[in-house]
Amino acid sequence: MLRAFCIANKRGEILFITIFEPLVTKAIFDPFLSELSSSPHGDPPPFFTKEDHKYVYVFRDDLYWACVVSQNSLTDECGPLLMTESLSQLHQVCSTLCGALTQHSITANATLIMEIVQETMNGGFVQMQTADKLQSCIYSTVVAPKETSALTSVPGLFGIEKSAPCTAAQQSSLAVDSSKRELYVDVVEKVWASVSSSGTVIRAEVNGSIVTRCFLPGNPVLSLMLNTQLSTTPKEGFNTGTRMSEVEFGNGVEIGSGNNGRQLSVMTVPGQEITIARYTLAPDHPHLLPFTLTSSIHSLTPSDSELRLKLTSNTGMGTVSPQVTFKTVAPVSTAAVMSQTSGPRDQVIRFSPEDKTLTWTISQFPGGSYAQAFIRLVDSGGDVSIEAGELEFEVSRWVCSGVRIERVKLNPPVDNLNKWVRYLTTSDSVSIRLS
């Protein structure tokens, strides 16, 4: 039997929690989170005991899926392998029903995940379930945050087009059309960062994955040539390549002995998405964020002040951001705002009087350009300050790591093949201080 279950991020924040025993509280996971932050050699083992609590967890999509097992219960007697497999299965079900999993999508779909957990961990007793069997028991609908929309298989004008995550009920067995021969290779990265008011990156973490999906008859072998080696081994001398702290290759992926290990090969399966590699940039790698935000605030009158924002794109020509949003909280006394913008045409500034949230949204933001916003805060006071804000973005045709696909080859060759190599960077959590 299980005592509790939670989903936590790398910063030790619990995004979702379920308690199965009446006397248990959220504090039962404090030893678990403490062990994660204090472990000297990375993450602790997937099963460990601390302060008389038995913890089992798996690490998926940059999130910890953890549970507390009751002492001397049947689940405890079966061993940790049962729970690691059950947690992996729970993650797969949530990924199928919710789409791409980030801390934003977990929070937005808390009700849906609660239903899934209730079905798969009924009262703390593990139930072996799959997405197709659970679909008839799920009543909640998917909430799709813009930055975590699932990727579709349709090439768009700006690289990867997005749609709301599909549900198990909408999925069906794929019949490969022999007249439609398409291959997709996607490099997708998520960014977490904390930036000072001067623009200096205090801390950043970039997690990426290389994913392929083909619509081809048979099982041709896909070979990719990268511009850099995916390796955690430090190189001697001056090195301008990408430095990784974690690299995990998918099942069946072979690393070529030549070309300095830059060639990766895997057998394709018609219609099935295959993860070729997952990686995390090294902390000492120079993180180039796609945007730089500068701000200033000064007094206009004894009652009003003006906030000036300038957002500069660092992604270069040929790239585009379908949507960029900056959110912050205005001073409590602010009654209304008046705004003026310059730069890209599609800019909107919204103010919510209820929670004083100020939102600046830019659509179709071309790379290498900048946008400015001049916002008058009415009745905010002449001498005020705004501490920080959150930047949310999606950037097509660009990734922070600089990983590129130089060559795509199939063996045996396929005639009349349409190959799509796409790049996408999304924000997971980018906090920027303004003062």
Side-chain angles (χ1 to χ4, degrees):
M1 180 177 177
L2 304 182
R3 305 182 66 188
F5 164 78
C6 82
I7 304 174
N9 61 18
K10 285 188 174 182
R11 287 175 285 178
E13 300 169 341
I14 294 181
L15 309 176
F16 176 88
I17 187 170
T18 299
I19 305 297
F20 299 114
E21 289 187 2
L23 300 180
V24 173
T25 64
K26 183 179 180 180
I28 196 172
F29 284 104
D30 289 347
F32 171 76
L33 300 176
S34 174
E35 183 69 17
L36 291 179
S37 61
S38 61
S39 181
H41 305 292
D43 290 339
F47 170 72
F48 64 92
T49 301
K50 188 171 184 178
E51 298 185 12
D52 296 328
H53 300 311
K54 291 189 174 182
Y55 298 100
V56 182
Y57 77 94
V58 296
F59 185 65
R60 299 289 186 274
D61 284 330
D62 305 319
L63 300 170
Y64 295 97
W65 302 66
C67 64
V68 185
V69 181
S70 299
Q71 299 277 4
N72 301 320
S73 65
L74 178 61
T75 304
D76 185 21
E77 295 295 332
C78 291
L81 184 59
L82 171 65
M83 278 315 306
T84 55
E85 181 64 26
S86 298
L87 291 174
S88 298
Q89 188 178 36
L90 173 63
H91 163 265
Q92 184 62 39
V93 172
C94 291
S95 178
T96 301
L97 296 178
C98 299
L101 294 177
T102 66
Q103 61 179 354
H104 293 299
S105 64
I106 293 293
T107 304
N109 291 286
T111 303
L112 174 59
I113 294 175
M114 176 64 73
E115 289 193 64
I116 298 173
V117 171
Q118 288 176 348
E119 294 294 334
T120 57
M121 299 178 176
N122 186 13
F125 295 95
V126 178
Q127 312 290 317
M128 304 298 285
Q129 297 285 356
T130 57
D132 55 343
K133 294 180 180 179
L134 285 174
Q135 182 61 37
S136 60
C137 304
I138 302 299
Y139 297 95
S140 301
T141 56
V142 177
V143 178
K146 294 178 180 178
E147 71 275 11
T148 58
S149 299
L151 305 181
T152 66
S153 298
V154 180
L157 178 60
F158 303 113
I160 299 179
E161 296 289 348
K162 302 171 297 302
S163 65
C166 60
T167 62
Q170 296 169 329
Q171 295 177 349
S172 60
S173 58
L174 177 67
V176 178
D177 185 358
S178 59
S179 62
K180 178 184 178 181
R181 303 192 174 194
E182 295 181 334
L183 173 68
Y184 299 89
V185 180
D186 299 329
V187 181
V188 183
E189 294 186 352
K190 293 187 296 183
V191 181
W192 178 89
S194 178
V195 184
S196 67
S197 57
S198 62
T200 303
V201 179
I202 301 174
R203 183 182 174 188
E205 185 173 290
V206 178
N207 298 286
S209 61
I210 302 176
V211 182
T212 183
R213 190 170 185 177
C214 73
F215 298 85
L216 302 170
N219 301 96
V221 176
L222 170 66
S223 296
L224 302 179
M225 180 65 70
L226 307 182
N227 66 332
T228 184
Q229 181 183 8
L230 299 183
S231 174
T232 59
T233 304
K235 297 181 179 180
E236 297 181 355
F238 182 74
N239 176 30
T240 59
T242 304
R243 298 195 291 274
M244 307 290 182
S245 62
E246 297 179 18
V247 177
E248 178 185 358
F249 294 99
N251 294 330
V253 176
E254 296 183 359
I255 305 174
S257 57
N259 301 301
N260 296 322
R262 295 187 294 121
Q263 181 173 321
L264 306 177
S265 302
V266 66
M267 179 178 292
T268 61
V269 179
Q272 181 175 328
E273 185 178 275
I274 300 174
T275 299
I276 297 177
R278 296 181 185 272
Y279 57 86
T280 300
L281 289 189
D284 60 344
H285 183 80
H287 291 92
L288 174 63
L289 299 184
F291 299 98
T292 300
L293 180 71
T294 57
S295 67
S296 63
I297 187 168
H298 63 276
S299 174
L300 293 178
T301 67
S303 61
D304 296 357
S305 57
E306 184 182 55
L307 173 64
R308 296 183 178 181
L309 301 172
K310 181 178 180 180
L311 187 67
T312 304
S313 172
N314 303 322
T315 59
M317 301 297 291
T319 64
V320 70
S321 302
Q323 183 161 298
V324 182
T325 303
F326 179 72
K327 296 181 181 179
T328 188
V329 178
V332 178
S333 59
T334 305
V337 301
M338 293 183 289
S339 62
Q340 182 178 357
T341 61
S342 64
R345 294 182 179 179
D346 299 327
Q347 298 189 53
V348 178
I349 296 178
R350 296 185 177 89
F351 174 69
S352 174
E354 292 78 14
D355 55 7
K356 308 302 179 182
T357 301
L358 192 63
T359 305
W360 179 26
T361 303
I362 310 171
S363 301
Q364 310 306 333
F365 193 179
S369 63
Y370 67 88
Q372 289 182 295
F374 306 90
I375 307 172
R376 181 165 184 160
L377 308 174
V378 180
D379 293 339
S380 63
D383 185 16
V384 296
S385 64
I386 298 178
E387 293 186 356
E390 290 284 333
L391 186 65
E392 303 173 359
F393 52 79
E394 295 177 351
V395 183
S396 297
R397 304 177 185 174
W398 186 87
V399 288
C400 296
S401 65
V403 172
R404 307 295 294 182
I405 308 296
E406 293 186 342
R407 188 177 73 231
V408 178
K409 184 179 179 181
L410 287 174
N411 187 24
V414 178
D415 296 331
N416 302 321
L417 174 65
N418 293 320
K419 294 183 292 186
W420 307 93
V421 178
R422 310 177 295 186
Y423 303 87
L424 179 70
T425 299
T426 65
S427 60
D428 192 4
S429 176
V430 177
S431 177
I432 300 178
R433 295 197 60 84
L434 302 183
S435 60

